[in-house]
Amino acid sequence: MLNNKIKILGISGSLRTNSSATSVLKQTASLLPANTVLQLYEELGRLPHFDDSLEVPAEVIHFRQLVAEADGVLICTPEYAFGVPGSLKNALDWTVGSGEFVHKPVAVITAASVGKNAHASLLLTLSAITANVAEDAKLLIPFIRAKLNKKGEINDPALLADMQRVVNAFVSSIEK
Ligand SMILES: Cc1cc2nc3c(=O)[nH]c(=O)nc-3n(C[C@H](O)[C@H](O)[C@H](O)COP(=O)(O)O)c2cc1C
């Protein structure tokens, strides 16, 4: 923890300009309590493709360090072609051998047109790397484009309550 603040690393699974996942990530982060500090990881697209026969690239060392130093990781991702976006899966693959996600509290929001395949697949990958995803710290938001207003914000009170529930469960899993 940093100056007694809980350190959260936020990762969007989308590299796109005007990404809906990044919008949801930022709005979810705004629901975090005052005793947290958020760092957005914005270098997902610069991570080399996974290949552990090479010397570990500097970008990977940096990513692993950010995950290791974070008290918890908040991931928001879309679904592409029935799966987790390759760039996000690539980043997670880089931690399989080095173990930064082992027992790490993680929250997962999948925001997509449908999204159930990516959501299930990401949770499976996180279980492979023994991340700690609390029961209530996961949420699938289908039809995401229809739920965002022109500013890229969710206004629906029921959905906002679901996002707050994810945040609360996530922070509790860190404080345990
Ligand atoms: C290349 C591509 C593939 C997609 N495939 C799926 C899919 O298989 N399932 C789904 O639910 N949505 C799919 N979508 C829709 C996205 O989930 C949706 O447009 C989402 O808002 C994109 O998130 P982003 O703006 O954060 O990248 C796809 C979108 C793109 C661009």
Side-chain angles (χ1 to χ4, degrees):
M1 304 204 187
L2 179 76
N3 302 328
N4 295 325
K5 292 232 177 192
I6 295 171
K7 246 179 125 178
I8 309 290
L9 184 67
I11 303 176
S12 170
S14 175
L15 307 178
R16 303 167 76 210
T17 310
N18 301 322
S19 155
S20 51
T22 305
S23 296
V24 175
L25 173 65
K26 288 179 178 168
Q27 191 170 4
T28 307
S30 75
L31 303 173
L32 285 162
N35 63 336
T36 61
V37 58
L38 175 87
Q39 178 171 9
L40 280 183
Y41 180 66
E42 295 181 301
E43 286 134 82
L44 198 67
R46 286 194 279 279
L47 281 178
H49 294 166
F50 174 76
D51 180 356
D52 64 358
S53 56
L54 303 170
E55 196 175 318
V56 183
E59 297 89 337
V60 174
I61 293 172
H62 183 235
F63 174 65
R64 287 174 172 172
Q65 193 181 341
L66 290 176
V67 176
E69 287 171 2
D71 298 304
V73 180
L74 170 60
I75 299 176
C76 188
T77 185
E79 172 171 302
Y80 295 155
F82 290 173
V84 176
S87 49
L88 175 59
K89 180 63 166 54
N90 180 55
L92 297 177
D93 288 347
W94 274 114
T95 72
V96 171
S98 49
E100 287 77 13
F101 273 94
V102 174
H103 306 315
K104 182 76 63 182
V106 175
V108 173
I109 297 182
T110 305
S113 300
V114 180
K116 64 180 170 41
N117 294 300
H119 196 60
S121 177
L122 179 54
L123 291 171
L124 200 58
T125 298
L126 289 167
S127 75
I129 54 180
T130 47
N132 168 20
V133 185
E135 191 49 40
D136 280 339
K138 47 193 162 188
L139 178 66
L140 170 60
I141 309 178
F143 310 113
I144 183 59
R145 290 277 165 191
K147 292 174 181 170
L148 292 171
N149 67 17
K150 282 187 184 142
K151 289 190 208 157
E153 291 164 351
I154 289 166
N155 288 327
D156 175 35
L159 183 49
L160 285 170
D162 285 343
M163 290 157 68
Q164 187 67 66
R165 176 180 51 76
V166 168
V167 164
N168 294 348
F170 173 50
V171 173
S172 298
S173 70
I174 295 170
E175 286 172 333
K176 262 181 200 161

